Amino acid sequence: MKKIAIFPGSFDPITIGHVDVVKRAAKVFDEIVVAIGVNTQKKYLFDLEERTNWIKKVFANETNVRVETYQGLTVNFCKEIGANYIIRGIRSSADFEYEKTIAQLNQMMHAEV
């Protein structure tokens, strides 16, 4: 079975930190989906098409990285594309606590992720 992971975010804009996380994860997983979440309640600095094009250019040489957009819950998008892993970056202990809570909720909704 392929190890498919998603790296969700708004990427508004994509940063060097995002790129570093994806490039390191690309060595661990068969496929990485950089998943640009669309939230109609959120104001973005750059439009979706710009962000998508930039990310595609950044990872043009990474054969196991692709870019997709989605709406709704990340865990539901995982089910949709057959991903069993979610990659997240953590910058502080507060990020860790937040991500831990989200991971527990995702686990309850879709145990395979």
Side-chain angles (χ1 to χ4, degrees):
M1 184 161 103
K2 279 178 75 173
K3 287 173 53 177
I4 302 170
I6 69 163
F7 184 46
S10 60
F11 306 104
D12 189 33
I14 189 165
T15 67
I16 292 170
H18 293 132
V19 174
D20 181 58
V21 168
V22 172
K23 286 192 175 191
R24 288 201 263 158
K27 296 173 186 171
V28 176
F29 297 99
D30 298 317
E31 186 176 356
I32 306 284
V33 178
V34 178
I36 306 170
V38 178
N39 181 343
T40 57
Q41 304 297 318
K42 192 172 178 181
K43 285 269 191 207
Y44 294 103
L45 187 59
F46 300 102
D47 70 39
L48 183 61
E49 187 176 341
E50 283 179 301
R51 290 179 280 147
T52 302
N53 289 335
W54 289 335
I55 296 168
K56 284 180 179 179
K57 285 179 187 174
V58 167
F59 297 112
N61 294 326
E62 301 291 330
T63 57
N64 64 334
V65 176
R66 73 176 201 256
V67 181
E68 291 195 28
T69 62
Y70 74 101
Q71 286 187 307
L73 295 176
T74 300
V75 72
N76 290 342
F77 183 64
C78 286
K79 285 184 202 178
E80 207 177 288
I81 66 167
N84 286 344
Y85 304 91
I86 299 173
I87 301 163
R88 299 295 295 164
I90 297 175
R91 297 166 290 198
S92 68
S93 59
D95 280 356
F96 176 79
E97 291 302 323
Y98 172 78
E99 294 297 338
K100 185 172 116 181
T101 302
I102 298 299
Q104 290 169 337
L105 290 170
N106 286 341
Q107 189 73 28
M108 288 170 51
M109 293 179 69
H110 187 45
E112 292 79 30
V113 174

